[in-house]
């Protein structure tokens, strides 16, 4: 599993924007920026939709006021689902990134097998990344939602 002080692995994430489908490398997304990245097991799932994403939407201004250039949400879903989920939650100040094949999640070592729920998914986590280097990593234990909450990350900035 990736740890604090390490550089993010090279990977690609997709995003559906008004300009169409975009493919971004981790270098494109994180070079020269301070980013809060949070990951969820699945878009439109209960804790993710009722708490995790909405809290980041609500606190986006406070987070960026702490010197954060961008907030990214990533899930092992496709870009169409991520865009629809972001629209449903008014997440226009966040970037909704898809890791459709879980390659980024697996490269981080933050994948988990959920079998009938959806197969390979991401663990729930948040991280602070400064110019591609992980400066804070907050991974939830199974069935918990404490350390990756927006309030918890805001307190770490």
């Amino acid at each position: 599993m990736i740890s604090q002080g390490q550089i993010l692995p090279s990977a690609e994430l997709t995003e559906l924007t008004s300009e169409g489908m975009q493919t971004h490398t981790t270098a494109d997304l994180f070079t020269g920026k301070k980013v809060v990245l949070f990951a969820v097991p699945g878009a439109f799932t209960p804790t993710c939709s009722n708490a995790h994403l909405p809290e980041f939407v609500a606190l986006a201004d406070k987070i960026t006021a702490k010197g954060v250039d961008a907030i990214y949400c990533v899930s092992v879903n496709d870009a169409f689902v991520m865009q629809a989920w972001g629209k449903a939650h008014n997440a226009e100040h966040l970037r909704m990134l898809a890791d459709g094949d879980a390659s980024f999640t697996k490269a981080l070592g933050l994948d988990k097998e959920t079998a009938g729920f959806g197969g390979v998914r991401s663990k729930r986590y948040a991280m602070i990344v400064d110019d591609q280097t992980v400066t804070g990593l907050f991974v939830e234990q199974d069935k918990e939602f404490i350390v990756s909450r927006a309030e918890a990350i805001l307190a770490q900035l």
Side-chain angles (χ1 to χ4, degrees), residues 2-55:
I2 195 160
S3 59
Q4 191 167 312
Q6 289 185 310
I7 294 173
L8 289 176
S10 180
E12 291 184 344
L13 296 165
T14 56
E15 179 182 30
L16 186 57
T17 70
S18 58
E19 291 89 44
M21 190 68 68
Q22 307 288 317
T23 299
H24 308 287
T25 66
T26 48
D28 295 337
L29 291 166
F30 295 95
T31 298
K33 299 175 191 151
K34 184 172 185 177
V35 175
V36 168
L37 168 70
F38 70 101
V40 297
F44 292 106
T45 56
T47 301
C48 306
S49 289
N50 297 332
H52 211 174
L53 178 58
E55 288 179 4

Side-chain angles (χ1 to χ4, degrees), residues 74-157:
V74 69
S75 182
V76 180
N77 286 108
D78 64 61
F80 298 99
V81 168
M82 292 302 286
Q83 181 198 46
W85 190 43
K87 282 186 177 184
H89 288 277
N90 301 311
E92 61 270 359
H93 299 298
L94 281 61
R95 294 191 61 187
M96 304 298 289
L97 302 171
D99 184 20
D101 64 356
S103 58
F104 176 65
T105 301
K106 289 176 182 176
L108 292 172
L110 291 169
D111 57 304
K112 66 179 183 175
E113 176 56 52
T114 65
F117 171 75
V120 176
R121 295 292 179 144
S122 177
K123 293 181 180 182
R124 184 182 307 282
Y125 68 87
M127 66 172 66
I128 302 166
V129 181
D130 198 347
D131 194 22
Q132 297 194 69
T133 300
V134 177
T135 58
L137 179 62
F138 312 94
V139 181
E140 298 288 0
Q141 297 300 313
D142 281 345
K143 308 282 185 195
E144 288 191 357
F145 180 50
I146 301 164
V147 299
S148 67
R149 298 182 82 111
E151 294 97 354
I153 300 310
L154 184 58
Q156 297 292 327
L157 295 169

